Amino acid sequence: MKKGFILLLLLSSLLPTVILSLPTGIASYNGPIYTNGVLGYANITSLLAYNASATKLEVPPYGASLQLNVMLEVNTTSGQQYYFWLQNVADFITNESIMFFGDNIWNNSSPFSGITNINGSGKIYSTYTIFSHSSYYATGYYEINYSFPFSFYLIINETHTNGGIRINFGYVILQNGNRILPPNPVFFDKVFIPISNIASASIVINNQTTPNISIGLVTYLGNQLDAELVWGGFGNGETTTFLKMSSYLALFYMKDGIWVPFSQVYTYGSDTAESATNLHVNISDSNGDAYVIVGTPNYGLLTNKFTPSIPGFLFLNISSDKVPFLLNDTLTTNFVGYVNSPVRISFYLNYSFNSSSFAILNGNYPSIIKPTYSWFKNFTIIPNYTYYYLVKVNSTIPAIAIINGKEVELNSTNWFKQGTSINVVNYTYYPSNNERFIISSIYPSSTINVTMPLLINISTIKQYKVSINSPVPILLNGKKINGSIWVTEGSNITLSAQIPFYETGKFIGTYNISPNQEITVYQPIVETLELSINIFFIIIITFIIVAILIGIILVARRR
């Protein structure tokens, strides 16, 4: 929150000669720099703050804030000049891992100016103080649970027309714990300040202050035209002590359509009332960011050549479900993250998984992905591969299938692309007129959708034609047949015939067997029943007739 007291300290190289505590992080004072957007980056890996006296200020004892503070300068065609102090704040309740975003706008056109006419999602609040700003604008956004590492951007940008200023306060969360998130800029407050006849408007950074006011012997100082990304208390001018702190900070402004870092940065801010007692800032050896830790404050110039790593604006998601690819010469199957430097990508045109599956790449894909520095972008690459699988067929007969509406004969080995529908035809195969194979089962199914290598097993039963020629009815295994019948190979059959008692028969052909004799079928069978006079019957009849005649003769003689 904006300071509510009068600063009467002498400045030397922008650093107060008497220091108790200051907002700590990075700030730029040197200019002039005119821009329409400022971006603050933070990557927090450890955070815990405590102030035993916080309740007196009506703030949580474990509270802390990271503030992006800038000054907006507005000039009208009539020569009027306005200054608005803009504050985009990430507030933390550090013992509960809860945070939320909020904003403040103060009228710094003079040390006593207030906010009277503004439109946004927040409200105007009175300070109820004298010799200070009479009112300010503020809003807050909903709570967010966070885990480490927690990295995000704070954004303030402005646009203007002849009739007023549009100020956007937003944030972008890049990572929350183990989750690396695609950029989703959230502008939680879009504020409009009506001002007529605007000639120019911009966020300004310069080594000077907003207008002062002298009343008698007292001079009420304005505020620095600086840009700050600083840690401090939760609010209401609180000074807090950090028990744990590890954060990487970077501060950028929009120049010619891209975000560039402020080159000269200091370790302290000047315009906000919240402060920290025990933070130390240095330049990270690993990435050039400002690294904030618990330690003895080192208020002063941090560097004249601030070259932080440009945090990601381009979120890259490469997902190859099965086929690996080369990312900067490292083999991987996926990449999710932000691109801070050029990334080399190479996809396999033809990739063999094993002897039974391979993939072919479809289409063209970029070989180099370069970072962007203007605005956030999501870029997803999903290489389109056609997968082919080996389909083997085990069958004693030609395997016929319907594929894509066309009847084809399957080979013992076949390559089909993923998703191919195979409908195996259940038919009877005749290698000759007297021999056939019928399909008894198709494994795994007669209808198959190819999603992996597989074996189609077609089981068959071999049958032979048994043909019987006979002038009388024939029974095969007790069942009447007429002409011919198909019998499974290896079956035992018994042929019988309804032969008149005065005749005898024999099957002449493949086996030359008598009726009621069992045979095993291992080949086609053709048998013809040949009938002949039953000699035994004739003998018996003759014997009977002779006996009768002899009997008659004997009877006649006795008479």
Side-chain angles (χ1 to χ4, degrees), residues 32-71:
I33 294 174
Y34 297 91
T35 182
N36 67 346
V38 175
L39 192 68
Y41 168 77
N43 182 11
I44 307 167
T45 57
S46 179
L47 177 63
L48 183 64
Y50 182 72
N51 177 14
S53 303
T55 54
K56 295 178 181 179
L57 297 171
E58 298 181 347
V59 295
Y62 290 92
S65 67
L66 179 64
Q67 306 178 9
L68 176 63
N69 305 322
V70 296
M71 193 70 70

Side-chain angles (χ1 to χ4, degrees), residues 24 45-50 231 240-247 276-282 291-298:
T24 306
T45 57
S46 179
L47 177 63
L48 183 64
Y50 182 72
W231 287 101
T240 193
T241 297
F242 286 85
L243 307 179
K244 295 179 182 179
M245 166 59 73
S246 174
S247 64
T277 64
N278 64 332
L279 293 182
H280 183 90
V281 186
N282 54 43
Y291 183 47
V292 185
I293 59 175
V294 172
T296 302
N298 57 331

Side-chain angles (χ1 to χ4, degrees), residues 204-226:
V204 60
I205 294 90
N206 205 356
N207 190 9
Q208 65 185 59
T209 67
T210 58
N212 305 326
I213 289 181
S214 296
I215 301 178
L217 298 177
V218 179
T219 297
Y220 298 90
L221 301 181
N223 287 87
Q224 290 287 335
L225 303 182
D226 66 349

Side-chain angles (χ1 to χ4, degrees), residues 5 75 83 162 199 237 250 279 294 311 331 358 395 406 424 465 494:
F5 57 86
N75 297 287
Y83 287 98
N162 188 47
L279 293 182
V294 172
L331 199 63
F358 68 92
S395 176
K406 184 179 180 181
V424 181
K465 181 185 284 187
T494 300

Side-chain angles (χ1 to χ4, degrees), residues 324-467:
F325 59 92
L326 289 171
L327 182 76
N328 291 338
D329 299 325
T330 299
L331 199 63
T332 184
T333 56
N334 64 79
F335 173 82
V336 177
Y338 286 86
V339 175
N340 300 323
S341 59
V343 174
R344 299 188 311 277
I345 307 170
S346 179
F347 295 105
Y348 287 98
L349 298 179
N350 189 324
Y351 185 82
S352 178
F353 298 99
N354 47 48
S355 60
S356 59
S357 57
F358 68 92
I360 295 178
L361 182 66
N362 304 306
N364 299 312
Y365 300 88
S367 58
I368 297 179
I369 304 296
K370 295 182 179 180
T372 60
Y373 301 109
S374 57
W375 195 239
F376 302 97
K377 181 180 179 181
N378 286 328
F379 191 27
T380 298
I381 300 176
I382 302 176
N384 180 17
Y385 281 95
T386 299
Y387 298 95
Y388 289 85
Y389 299 107
L390 179 63
V391 177
K392 292 184 177 182
V393 178
N394 180 25
S395 176
T396 56
I397 65 174
I400 307 299
I402 306 297
I403 299 176
N404 298 327
K406 184 179 180 181
E407 184 175 283
V408 298
E409 181 177 339
L410 299 176
N411 300 316
S412 58
T413 58
N414 310 266
W415 288 98
F416 291 110
K417 67 180 180 180
Q418 180 174 295
T420 299
S421 178
I422 301 175
N423 295 304
V424 181
V425 177
N426 191 336
Y427 76 108
T428 300
Y429 173 66
Y430 292 85
S432 67
N433 291 334
N434 299 314
E435 182 181 349
R436 75 177 185 178
F437 293 84
I438 61 173
I439 295 175
S440 58
S441 67
I442 302 173
Y443 181 85
S445 172
S446 60
T447 300
I448 299 168
N449 185 45
V450 178
T451 59
M452 64 180 70
L454 57 91
L455 171 65
I456 299 175
N457 191 49
I458 301 176
S459 300
T460 59
I461 297 174
K462 189 175 185 180
Q463 293 183 329
Y464 296 106
K465 181 185 284 187
V466 176
S467 300

